[in-house]
């Protein structure tokens, strides 16, 4: 029986349960050697989502198998205390009884990867959801691995075209950058993600749909991505009704798949929707095993898990992962704990505004609140000056909007405000873009140069360079 002696199975499970567990173990998708039984124990307590087992030992993150009345349930070790292991089931925990046998395993958490995943939709366990048959892949990688050594990271020096005018022109992204897309509900977040997926120049797109409504998964695949977008995409979907552990696994699996393609030399775009749902799943796990909340219901482990996940993206010597993490702004509060923590660990943020969306402007990007921290390394000094002036005139118009609406301002009273008044309609037109329209980085920069050509500061700057 490979690495597992028959006597160990007899001792761990008893004769009547050997066949069922052995069949389940042989059907696991892992293609490594059979797991080595390290210990056995018994289930002594189940409260909410947390299970407690005694009589066995296993490291954090290892798999366990619990033999219940309705078959074998897979679980994972999420904590320990004294002589107890705290477990959480990967799927539903039905049929478990007090005293159920718990068998721990040292099987590493490996996931299937390869080009065969392109065009497919899978769940957090790697099971296909699209009805296109089983997956047959020949490569495996760890689900969890360390982030890149800082000195192994290649600096961000090359822009990534995402096909969106406002992002390419005003918040230029670089290959290997991690940026946050901060948005409330119903402001066009998923639509913008779909535009970036279809229009990007990245070779591979990995989409993680974590904790979203189940209805949105099929809509995103069929309508937002479409056949063209799916040809080079892998979608990992763990809807809101999946267990918190499955949602966390979905996030880790999508990141590991992106790492595999990066290590193969590809430029990968990782679209992660959403980082907030990942944090909420991690919170559910932590609170269920007794960790204390410290910030609006979030325990410390959540704020430790966020950078561990995000830091796995980036450049190495052969490829890149450019990651866009959506952050759900609850109640449109940009200072909630997850939003605040995310801004600190990301390389910039793009904010979608509800008021701009209500005005019919899509994508509803708030250019005053958004920034790309890598942009200065990717664009010329003239381009950077054009963006700063655009923000200046846009902000000046917004601050004086009420005065202008009442007709209390007389043209000629303020030269800067006069320029803002003339420029604002052009800025608004620059931000707007149709869903099916593709605007390359070169096109976005040309349009920005044409918009700013009459600004006095740009005219003066060009005169200085000429002289």
């Amino acid at each position: 029986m490979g690495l597992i002696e028959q006597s160990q199975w007899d001792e761990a499970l008893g004769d009547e349960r050997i066949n069922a567990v052995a069949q389940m173990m042989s059907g696991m998708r892992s293609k490594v050697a059979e797991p080595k039984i390290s210990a056995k124990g018994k289930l002594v307590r189940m409260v909410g989502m947390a299970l407690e087992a005694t009589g066995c030992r296993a490291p954090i993150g290892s798999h366990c198998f619990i033999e219940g009345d309705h078959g074998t349930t897979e679980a994972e070790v999420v904590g320990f205390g004294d002589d107890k292991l705290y477990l959480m089931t990967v799927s539903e925990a039905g049929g478990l009884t007090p005293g159920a046998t718990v068998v721990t395993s040292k099987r590493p958490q490996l996931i299937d990867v390869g080009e065969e995943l392109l065009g497919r939709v899978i769940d957090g366990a790697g099971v296909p959801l699209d009805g296109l048959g089983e997956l047959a892949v020949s490569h495996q990688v760890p689900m969890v691995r360390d982030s890149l050594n800082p000195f192994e990271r290649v600096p961000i020096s090359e822009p990534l075209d995402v096909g969106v005018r406002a992002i390419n022109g005003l918040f230029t992204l670089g290959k290997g950058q991690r940026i946050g897309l901060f948005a409330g509900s119903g402001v066009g977040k998923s639509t913008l993600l779909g535009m970036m997926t279809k229009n990007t120049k990245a070779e591979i797109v990995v989409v993680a749909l974590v904790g979203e409504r189940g209805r949105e998964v099929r809509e995103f695949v069929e309508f937002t991505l479409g056949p063209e977008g799916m040809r080079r995409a892998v979608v990992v979907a763990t809807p809101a009704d999946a267990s918190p552990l499955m949602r966390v696994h979905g996030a880790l699996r999508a990141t590991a798949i992106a790492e595999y393609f990066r290590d193969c030399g590809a430029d990968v775009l990782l679209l992660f929707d959403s980082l907030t749902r990942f944090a909420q799943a991690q919170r559910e796990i932590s609170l269920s095993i007794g960790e204390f909340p410290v910030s609006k219901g979030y325990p410390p482990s959540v704020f430790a898990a966020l950078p561990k996940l995000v830091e796995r993206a980036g450049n190495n010597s052969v490829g890149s992962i450019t990651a866009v993490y959506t952050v759900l702004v609850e109640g449109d509060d940009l200072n909630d704990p997850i939003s605040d923590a995310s801004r600190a660990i990301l390389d910039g943020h793009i904010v979608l505004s509800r008021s701009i969306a209500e005005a019919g402007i899509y994508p509803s990007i708030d250019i005053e609140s958004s920034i790309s921290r890598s942009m200065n390394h990717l664009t010329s000094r003239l381009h950077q000056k054009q963006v700063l002036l655009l923000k200046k005139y846009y902000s000046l118009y917004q601050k004086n909007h009420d005065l202008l609406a009442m007709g209390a301002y007389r043209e000629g009273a303020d030269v800067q405000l006069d320029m803002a008044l003339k420029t604002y309609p052009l800025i608004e037109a620059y931000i707007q873009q149709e869903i099916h329209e593709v605007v390359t980085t070169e096109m976005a920069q040309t349009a920005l140069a044409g918009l700013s050509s009459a600004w006095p500061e740009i005219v003066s700057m060009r005169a200085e360079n000429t002289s």
Side-chain angles (χ1 to χ4, degrees):
M1 236 180 129
L3 297 177
I4 306 177
E5 299 296 335
Q6 183 65 41
S7 59
Q8 291 177 295
W9 283 96
D10 293 342
E11 181 183 357
L13 301 175
D15 293 336
E16 72 281 4
R17 295 174 179 169
I18 294 175
N19 292 335
V21 176
Q23 183 179 2
M24 186 276 299
M25 292 285 286
S26 64
M28 294 297 294
R29 297 195 56 78
S30 177
K31 299 178 180 61
V32 295
E34 295 179 68
K36 186 180 292 184
I37 298 297
S38 58
K40 71 170 183 176
K42 292 193 178 297
L43 190 65
V44 297
R45 190 167 184 258
M46 178 178 177
V47 178
M49 296 178 293
L51 290 74
E52 295 180 9
T54 59
C56 54
R57 284 188 173 186
I60 297 292
S62 61
H63 281 264
C64 296
F65 302 96
I66 308 170
E67 181 65 11
D69 291 344
H70 302 299
T72 302
T73 301
E74 186 180 0
E76 184 176 306
V77 179
V78 294
F80 59 83
D82 298 329
D83 61 341
K84 296 179 181 178
L85 284 182
Y86 298 117
L87 314 175
M88 184 166 287
T89 59
V90 176
S91 56
E92 293 297 327
L96 299 182
T97 58
T101 301
V102 178
V103 180
T104 62
S105 167
K106 292 183 178 179
R107 178 174 62 85
Q109 296 190 61
L110 298 178
I111 67 166
D112 296 335
V113 293
E115 293 184 1
E116 297 84 356
L117 290 173
L118 296 177
R120 300 301 300 271
V121 182
I122 59 176
D123 66 7
V127 178
L129 298 176
D130 49 18
L132 299 179
E134 291 295 319
L135 280 166
V137 297
S138 56
H139 298 87
Q140 289 190 318
V141 296
M143 180 184 290
V144 180
R145 57 188 278 192
D146 294 334
S147 59
L148 292 171
N149 183 306
F151 285 92
E152 292 178 356
R153 294 181 181 273
V154 176
I156 300 171
S157 58
E158 187 178 348
L160 178 69
D161 190 344
V162 294
V164 180
R165 184 190 299 109
I167 297 178
N168 284 341
L170 306 181
F171 313 104
T172 309
L173 303 185
K175 292 180 180 179
Q177 186 172 350
R178 292 85 47 86
I179 197 160
L181 184 60
F182 290 70
S185 57
V187 295
K189 167 175 56 68
S190 297
T191 302
L192 180 56
L193 285 180
M195 292 172 64
M196 296 172 69
T197 304
K198 289 185 290 186
N199 301 340
T200 182
K201 298 299 183 182
E203 297 161 326
I204 302 292
V205 179
V206 179
V207 182
L209 301 177
V210 179
E212 298 301 315
R213 292 183 290 272
R215 172 185 60 81
E216 292 182 332
V217 174
R218 184 165 185 172
E219 289 182 355
F220 187 86
V221 170
E222 293 187 358
F223 301 114
T224 305
L225 283 178
E228 185 65 30
M230 279 299 297
R231 284 194 182 94
R232 53 176 172 163
V234 182
V235 178
V236 182
T238 48
D241 60 342
S243 70
L245 193 60
M246 183 65 81
R247 280 176 266 151
V248 170
H249 281 187
L252 299 176
R253 182 176 291 271
T255 303
I257 291 171
E259 287 174 323
Y260 166 78
F261 285 113
R262 175 191 62 190
D263 294 343
C264 290
D267 291 324
V268 182
L269 177 62
L270 172 63
L271 299 177
F272 194 106
D273 188 14
S274 70
L275 201 60
T276 304
R277 302 300 189 199
F278 168 78
Q280 290 172 347
Q282 188 67 47
R283 175 177 64 180
E284 291 177 45
I285 295 172
S286 301
L287 293 179
S288 68
I289 62 175
E291 190 176 354
F292 291 103
V294 294
S295 180
K296 292 188 178 180
Y298 288 96
S301 61
V302 172
F303 301 102
L306 288 175
K308 286 183 179 179
L309 179 71
V310 169
E311 285 295 320
R312 290 170 63 179
N315 293 340
N316 62 10
S317 59
V318 295
S320 67
I321 299 177
T322 307
V324 179
Y325 298 93
T326 69
V327 180
L328 183 61
V329 182
E330 299 182 5
D332 293 337
D333 180 13
L334 289 171
N335 294 314
D336 73 77
I338 300 304
S339 297
D340 198 42
S342 299
R343 276 198 303 272
I345 59 177
L346 295 171
D347 304 322
H349 49 272
I350 296 172
V351 180
L352 300 187
S353 167
R354 187 173 304 279
S355 61
I356 294 175
E358 290 172 349
I361 300 173
Y362 290 97
S364 55
I365 298 175
D366 185 347
I367 63 174
E368 292 180 285
S369 304
S370 304
I371 190 172
S372 169
R373 294 194 178 112
S374 300
M375 186 171 176
N376 287 346
H377 305 296
L378 305 170
T379 57
S380 66
R381 179 170 166 264
L382 175 60
H383 186 171
Q384 295 162 25
K385 182 69 172 178
Q386 290 168 341
V387 173
L388 287 175
L389 289 173
L390 183 145
K391 287 187 173 185
K392 169 188 170 182
Y393 289 127
Y394 181 90
S395 180
L396 187 60
Y397 180 90
Q398 294 293 343
K399 289 177 181 177
N400 292 276
H401 179 266
D402 292 340
L403 185 68
L404 297 170
M406 292 186 298
Y409 174 74
R410 183 172 297 176
E411 187 176 355
D414 187 322
V415 175
Q416 293 291 319
L417 188 53
D418 286 344
M419 184 59 67
L421 188 59
K422 295 177 182 177
T423 299
Y424 182 79
L426 300 176
I427 296 176
E428 197 174 74
Y430 185 87
I431 298 172
Q432 293 187 79
Q433 183 174 332
E434 295 291 334
I435 295 176
H436 302 293
E437 183 183 0
V438 181
V439 181
T440 65
T441 299
E442 184 179 353
M443 292 166 62
Q445 293 178 352
T446 301
L448 179 61
L451 187 154
S452 62
S453 59
W455 292 341
E457 298 90 342
I458 297 298
V459 173
S460 174
M461 184 176 182
R462 284 174 174 163
E464 291 176 4
N465 291 338
T466 302
S467 62

